[in-house]
């Protein structure tokens, strides 16, 4: 993807979401149902392909049963 570095904020956020999801033993399908979002959309988030809206970040945090600050723990705002 042009202009998309391998360590972009989207990549790091997606990796954090995947880590939290798998730590809870959730499949993408179960996670999508909890978040009221489509499975393929969540997969694209986990791969760093989507720029997620604040509303959907809230849904993801709720589905993972974490606060927004916990969701962003280990996700740096500055590209390295």
């Amino acid at each position: 993807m042009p202009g998309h570095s391998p360590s972009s904020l989207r990549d790091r956020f997606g990796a954090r979401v995947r880590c939290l999801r798998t730590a809870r033993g959730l499949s993408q399908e179960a996670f999508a149902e909890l978040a009221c979002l489509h499975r393929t959309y969540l997969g694209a988030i986990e791969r760093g392909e989507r720029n997620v809206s604040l509303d959907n970040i809230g849904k993801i945090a709720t589905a993972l049963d974490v606060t927004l600050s916990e969701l962003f723990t280990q996700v740096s705002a500055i590209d390295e």
Side-chain angles (χ1 to χ4, degrees), residues 1-22:
M1 170 178 271
H4 181 71
S5 71
S7 64
S8 73
L9 182 57
R10 287 191 315 252
D11 288 327
R12 293 190 306 268
F13 178 76
R16 176 68 174 155
V17 170
R18 181 182 300 116
C19 178
L20 291 169
R21 174 182 62 77
T22 58

Side-chain angles (χ1 to χ4, degrees), residues 1 10 13 40-45 47-52:
M1 170 178 271
R10 287 191 315 252
F13 178 76
T40 58
Y41 175 71
L42 287 172
I45 290 170
R47 292 187 302 276
E49 297 171 354
R50 299 299 299 253
N51 194 11
V52 190

Side-chain angles (χ1 to χ4, degrees), residues 28 31-32 35 37-47 60:
Q28 282 187 341
F31 178 42
L37 296 169
H38 198 276
R39 180 192 55 78
T40 58
Y41 175 71
L42 287 172
I45 290 170
E46 289 185 358
R47 292 187 302 276
I60 289 168

